[in-house]
């Protein structure tokens, strides 16, 4: 065996190899900065409002199918549109499905909400008896939906799984609203019941949810219009339009009984119960007020009256003119901090609205702790709809909140759109157009353009055989003007006698033109909005 100074060659070789490895490790470490071990953190959970929605039902004339539209809260955008039947008027949720009462088609439509990357569902239409004229849907159950039929004085119970009508329950004349006690009533020992408001027979039918039998019929004030149930199910509140009162029903009794009434003033059509604050809000269109009541006691103690014609207590102009306005809808934030009153008034004097009456909508913000107005949020003025009978709609405007309290949405029948209010600043934030309609486009003959600052005013004549007359908010495409800057697609911001105005800073004054304008057909008309999940 070969040796080197008494050391075996294999040991020498191994030593040299070890030394080389050691030097290599030193070299590659030169200049390194040693860092602590990185522990991956989980990806933050997406903002929960990404999954939240509101829904509108939209009419499309008296002979065309309406739609249901889902609004994505996160993006303030249209998340999907599905066709329903003719003249939808009201909607509610049952699980993940939206149910719509179609008054003009004697039917109910049900469709699944869009979720994740999935599209909105195609609606299933459930036919009712001819002449049923359904006007309200309601349920606090998991598999049964109830529909009130104003035309034949009945309530249908529908199986939400099979979509089959299981019961037809006779009630009073022209049932117009319903409320069912909460789904947890069985845990409190309460019998689960459905309360049906019968407008023309001035009473309420109390129905057992278990066997669909009528337990008792209770008289209430003249022409009742709406009902709400306290969160514990023990008290039911029924609003009477002509009598001007709220009837309090004791739901703890097996057969129920009237526990008392309070006066709220004649003319009210709607009331809103805020379960977070245990408050009852009653908007009254006849005197532009909103009554606020403490519902934690049987007496319904009045806490405040909001006068929409009065100046804001902290400083600021009144939400409505001295001539008054029409508060028709209200919604409170789920976090209990504020309530939002949606009201409107007709305006024929605005400089931007000379050719037709306009609708000015505003939202009044109420501090739910102080019961005082803090702010008014004006929304864009629009023309009275020339294609929809919005004045006859139960909710010409309608308000709903996002379930995470981040937004308030107001649908407008005349405006053919939904407005979004950002509650972090209580400011008008975005516009979501209603779906396209079956109406014809508007054809205009344009003869001149006048530039005034950043606005261009066009002189025109209207072809009465083409479509809807010009209106505020109409999107019009102009072509064949000699000044190229006067051509393009614009939104009408003002209407005069034979003129309309758009925002067009690059426009140029011209006369003697033979140009054309094509107005986008009016969109469908939202008549109700509701909070989704």
């Amino acid at each position: 065996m070969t040796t080197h100074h008494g050391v075996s060659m294999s040991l020498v070789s191994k030593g040299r190899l070890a030394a080389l490895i050691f030097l290599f490790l030193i070299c590659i470490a030169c200049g390194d900065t040693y860092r602590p071990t990185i522990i991956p953190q989980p990806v933050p959970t997406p903002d929960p409002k990404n999954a939240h929605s509101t829904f509108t039902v939209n009419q499309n004339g008296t002979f065309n199918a309406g739609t249901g539209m889902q609004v994505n809260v996160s993006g303030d955008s249209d998340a999907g549109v599905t066709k329903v039947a003719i003249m939808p008027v009201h909607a509610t949720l049952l699980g993940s499905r939206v149910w719509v009462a179609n008054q003009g088609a004697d039917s109910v439509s049900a469709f699944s909400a869009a979720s994740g990357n999935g599209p909105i569902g195609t609606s299933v239409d459930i036919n009712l008896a001819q002449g049923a004229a359904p006007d309200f849907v309601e349920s606090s159950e998991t598999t049964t939906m109830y529909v009130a039929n104003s035309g034949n004085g009945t309530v249908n119970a529908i199986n939400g799984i099979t979509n089959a009508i299981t019961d037809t329950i006779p009630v009073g004349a022209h049932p117009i609203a319903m409320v069912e006690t909460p789904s947890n009533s069985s845990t409190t020992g309460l019998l689960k019941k459905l309360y049906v408001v019968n407008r023309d027979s001035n009473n309420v039918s109390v129905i057992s949810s278990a066997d669909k039998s009528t337990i008792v019929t209770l008289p209430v004030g003249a022409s009742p219009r709406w009902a709400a149930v306290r969160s514990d199910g023990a008290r039911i509140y029924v609003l009477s339009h002509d009598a001007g009162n709220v009837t309090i029903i004791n739901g703890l009794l097996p057969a129920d009984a009237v526990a008392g009434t309070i006066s709220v003033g004649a003319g009210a059509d709607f009331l809103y119960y805020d379960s977070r604050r245990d408050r009852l809000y009653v908007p009254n269109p006849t005197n532009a007020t909103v009554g606020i009541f403490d519902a934690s006691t049987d007496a319904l103690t009045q806490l405040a009256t909001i006068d929409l014609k009065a100046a804001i207590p902290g400083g600021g102009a009144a939400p409505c003119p001295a001539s008054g306005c029409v508060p028709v809808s209200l919604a409170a934030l789920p976090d209990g901090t504020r309530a939002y009153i949606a009201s409107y008034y007709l305006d024929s004097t605005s400089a931007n609205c000379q050719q037709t009456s306009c609708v000015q909508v505003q939202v009044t913000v109420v501090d739910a702790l102080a019961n005082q107005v803090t702010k008014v949020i004006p929304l864009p003025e629009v023309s009275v709809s020339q294609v929809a009978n919005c004045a006859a709609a139960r909710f010409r405007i309608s308000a709903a909140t996002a379930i995470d309290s981040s937004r308030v949405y107001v649908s407008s029948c005349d405006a053919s759109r939904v407005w979004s209010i950002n509650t972090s600043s209580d400011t008008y934030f975005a516009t979501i157009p209603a779906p396209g309609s079956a109406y014809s486009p508007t054809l205009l003959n344009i003869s001149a353009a006048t530039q005034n600052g950043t606005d261009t005013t066009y002189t025109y004549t209207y072809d009465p055989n083409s479509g809807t007359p010009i209106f505020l908010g109409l999107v019009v495409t102009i072509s064949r003007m000699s000044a190229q800057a006067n051509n393009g697609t614009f939104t009408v911001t003002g209407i005069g006698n034979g003129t309309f105005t758009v925002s067009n800073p690059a426009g140029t004054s011209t006369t003697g033109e033979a140009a054309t304008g094509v107005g986008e057909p009016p969109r469908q008309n939202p008549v109700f909005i509701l909070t989704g999940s």
Side-chain angles (χ1 to χ4, degrees):
M1 179 173 63
T2 304
T3 61
H4 182 68
H5 298 296
V7 180
S8 69
M9 288 304 294
S10 62
L11 292 176
V12 171
S13 299
K14 291 177 180 178
R16 288 174 177 172
L17 178 61
L20 287 172
I21 293 173
F22 177 73
L23 291 173
F24 175 75
L25 292 174
I26 292 175
C27 288
I28 64 173
C30 292
D32 264 11
T33 301
Y34 288 92
R35 299 176 177 85
T37 303
I38 298 174
I39 301 174
Q41 297 295 321
V43 176
T45 302
D47 190 330
K49 72 172 178 285
N50 290 338
H52 299 328
S53 298
T54 58
F55 299 90
T56 66
V57 289
N58 314 290
Q59 294 183 0
N60 191 11
T62 56
F63 302 104
N64 305 302
T67 57
M69 180 176 74
Q70 182 171 341
V71 174
N72 176 10
V73 170
S74 175
D76 286 301
S77 59
D78 172 358
V81 173
T82 192
K83 184 183 293 185
V84 293
I86 298 172
M87 295 294 287
V89 292
H90 185 252
T92 194
L93 285 169
L94 179 63
S96 62
R97 299 176 84 194
V98 180
W99 291 69
V100 182
N102 305 305
Q103 195 171 72
D106 295 331
S107 71
V108 175
S109 297
F111 61 88
S112 298
S115 60
N117 295 323
I120 195 169
T122 300
S123 71
V124 174
D125 292 335
I126 303 161
N127 292 323
L128 309 174
Q130 185 175 359
D135 59 2
F136 207 90
V137 280
E138 162 69 5
S139 181
S140 65
E141 303 180 33
T142 56
T143 59
T144 301
M145 177 57 66
Y146 299 95
V147 52
N149 301 313
S150 64
N152 60 16
T154 65
V155 168
N156 287 127
I158 300 174
N159 186 307
I161 299 174
T162 65
N163 300 321
I165 297 173
T166 60
D167 297 272
T168 299
I169 309 162
V171 291
H174 198 125
I176 193 171
M178 298 181 290
V179 67
E180 190 175 24
T181 48
S183 56
N184 63 352
S185 294
S186 59
T187 63
T188 62
L190 290 173
L191 176 66
K192 192 168 182 60
K193 305 169 191 173
L194 179 72
Y195 295 79
V196 183
V197 178
N198 303 307
R199 189 192 72 182
D200 293 351
S201 53
N202 304 325
N203 56 26
V204 171
S205 300
V206 184
I207 296 168
S208 166
S209 300
D211 62 12
K212 311 300 184 285
S213 64
T214 299
I215 299 170
V216 67
T217 300
L218 300 174
V220 292
S223 192
R225 302 295 177 90
W226 206 266
V229 60
R230 202 165 71 184
S231 55
D232 61 4
R235 294 293 180 268
I236 296 85
Y237 308 104
V238 181
L239 174 68
S240 295
H241 175 275
D242 293 356
N245 61 31
V246 171
T247 300
I248 306 162
I249 296 174
N250 183 347
L252 289 172
L253 302 174
D256 291 78
V258 173
T261 62
I262 61 165
S263 176
V264 295
D269 293 306
F270 172 76
L271 57 78
Y272 182 92
Y273 173 71
D274 176 9
S275 60
R276 182 66 180 268
R277 291 290 173 195
D278 219 358
R279 301 277 170 79
L280 203 65
Y281 293 86
V282 184
N284 195 323
T286 62
N287 55 17
T289 63
V290 177
I292 306 176
F293 300 86
D294 180 3
S296 65
T297 66
D298 287 346
L300 277 181
T301 306
Q302 187 158 4
L303 299 173
T305 298
I306 303 297
D307 184 355
L308 297 176
K309 304 184 299 300
I312 297 175
C320 300
S323 57
C325 62
V326 185
V328 293
S329 188
L330 186 145
L333 293 185
D335 65 14
T337 59
R338 281 155 289 169
Y340 294 78
I341 304 165
S343 62
Y344 72 90
Y345 60 89
L346 298 183
D347 178 18
S348 299
T349 62
S350 168
N352 293 328
C353 190
Q354 296 179 3
Q355 192 173 20
T356 181
S357 294
C358 284
V359 180
Q360 176 60 60
V361 178
Q362 54 280 322
V363 173
T364 303
V365 186
V366 177
D367 182 331
L369 295 176
N371 296 312
Q372 283 191 345
V373 173
T374 60
K375 189 174 185 179
V376 58
I377 307 168
L379 298 173
E381 189 174 54
V382 298
S383 295
V384 170
S385 175
Q386 299 293 314
V387 297
N389 187 14
C390 293
R394 194 169 190 181
F395 290 97
R396 191 168 192 165
I397 57 173
S398 181
T401 62
I403 200 169
D404 65 352
S405 298
S406 67
R407 295 285 189 273
V408 173
Y409 293 97
V410 178
S411 66
S412 171
C413 177
D414 295 277
S416 300
R417 67 197 68 177
V418 175
W419 289 301
S420 167
I421 292 171
N422 187 334
T423 59
S424 64
S425 57
D426 280 336
T427 54
Y428 162 56
F429 185 68
T431 294
I432 303 102
S437 72
Y439 307 125
S440 301
T442 299
L443 302 181
L444 307 171
N445 299 311
I446 298 172
S447 57
T450 303
Q451 192 65 18
N452 184 10
T454 60
D455 295 333
T456 304
T457 297
Y458 295 90
T459 302
Y460 77 99
T461 57
Y462 163 66
D463 180 354
N465 297 317
S466 65
T468 305
I470 200 165
F471 57 90
L472 284 181
L474 174 69
V475 176
V476 59
T477 299
I478 299 169
S479 58
R480 296 174 55 194
M481 295 290 288
S482 59
Q484 190 58 38
N486 292 343
N487 296 315
T489 300
F490 308 99
T491 299
V492 174
T493 58
I495 302 173
N497 185 16
T499 65
F500 66 89
T501 299
V502 304
S503 177
N504 179 23
T508 303
S509 295
T510 60
T511 58
E513 300 284 338
T516 60
V518 179
E520 179 183 280
R523 291 179 173 267
Q524 294 185 37
N525 307 100
V527 291
F528 188 72
I529 189 168
L530 71 150
T531 300
S533 58

